[in-house]
Amino acid sequence: MPRPAQPITLYRFTLSGHAHRAQLMLSLLDLPYRLVDIDLMRGEQKAASFVERNLFGQVPVIEDGDFTLADSNAILIYLALAYDADRRWLPADVRVQAEVQRWLGAAAGPLVRGPAVARWQRISGQGDGVALHAASHQLFARLEGHLQQRDWFVGEAPTIADVALYSYTARAPEGGIPLDDYPRLRAWLARVEALPGFVAMPVAAP
Ligand SMILES: N[C@@H](CCC(=O)N[C@@H](CS)C(=O)NCC(=O)O)C(=O)O
């Protein structure tokens, strides 16, 4: 397995599911990494020194030697291509890759627009997130349907699609969106949590 010459730096905010995705991938690949906390509540992500790393002024960002990369899904792709010699997390088959990309799109789109924003509204005190509950439940019902006959989102083993979808799904109850009606989704969360190297996302204080 290829290894980085030195620990990869992950700039993150503890309550960011986007950042947790990146940390989870680092940990599942058993890569050495160090965490640097960026306090979004204090606006540290918009400081000039951080915007140099990500012009959007957002976490997560990684630094791997002289390579700096922002965007959680881009980070998953990079880590899988650079450090997973067996290509288990992003298989070479073009159809599998296209399917993975489809779910990365879901993780960047409806999973953020519904459950992630509802959660952020609640934990930041900017709202109750209720307006987003219907869209979130519609998404989870669709994911539940997809998992009826399968254990993982693509193929028969975990891929970066599962990593991308995990964090904000697991923490949806913090946005007032319980997962009780989605037994297949909960079983999938448990399968991710049982993977060697799994690292949990910090729980938001009520
Ligand atoms: N597309 C980006 C989105 C990242 C994102 O939304 N990060 C949020 C935290 S979860 C952030 O840094 N927000 C602060 C801001 O926009 O000022 C990714 O996948 O990494």
Side-chain angles (χ1 to χ4, degrees):
M1 191 77 96
R3 306 282 292 172
Q6 59 206 44
I8 294 172
T9 301
L10 170 62
Y11 295 88
R12 61 110 189 227
F13 177 60
T14 43
L15 299 179
S16 162
H18 289 97
H20 179 257
R21 270 178 213 177
Q23 184 185 2
L24 181 56
M25 193 74 248
L26 287 162
S27 188
L28 290 168
L29 288 171
D30 194 26
L31 295 172
Y33 66 92
R34 70 182 188 103
L35 299 171
V36 176
D37 288 327
I38 301 296
D39 190 345
L40 301 191
M41 301 299 193
R42 292 161 46 113
E44 288 176 2
Q45 75 280 17
K46 302 301 186 207
S49 57
F50 191 77
V51 172
E52 269 177 24
R53 296 187 171 92
N54 177 8
L55 57 86
F56 291 115
Q58 293 185 321
V59 293
V61 173
I62 61 164
E63 282 171 355
D64 183 8
D66 61 1
F67 182 55
T68 301
L69 182 65
D71 191 276
S72 58
N73 289 347
I75 291 168
L76 300 189
I77 291 169
Y78 170 72
L79 294 175
L81 291 176
Y83 294 115
D84 174 21
D86 301 333
R87 299 297 300 272
R88 288 189 309 132
W89 292 96
L90 184 55
D93 181 274
V94 292
R95 293 183 184 192
V96 174
Q97 290 208 11
E99 290 281 347
V100 167
Q101 187 56 50
R102 172 189 180 218
W103 291 109
L104 295 187
L111 185 62
V112 172
R113 288 196 299 271
V117 174
R119 171 179 171 272
W120 182 246
Q121 286 185 0
R122 273 216 182 177
I123 64 182
S124 66
Q126 291 170 14
D128 58 13
V130 168
L132 300 165
H133 285 191
S136 302
H137 281 295
Q138 183 186 55
L139 170 66
F140 287 147
R142 287 174 173 158
L143 300 187
E144 177 80 3
H146 181 71
L147 291 171
Q148 279 309 310
Q149 310 294 336
R150 50 173 62 243
D151 286 346
W152 305 102
F153 273 87
V154 180
E156 292 178 2
T159 65
I160 61 172
D162 299 284
V163 179
L165 290 164
Y166 172 80
S167 312
Y168 285 125
T169 302
R171 288 288 180 260
E174 292 174 357
I177 303 157
L179 298 175
D180 305 61
D181 291 342
Y182 312 109
R184 296 290 305 176
L185 205 49
R186 285 186 284 109
W188 165 77
L189 291 173
R191 277 191 287 279
V192 174
E193 287 156 11
L195 291 169
F198 173 80
V199 60
M201 181 168 159
V203 176

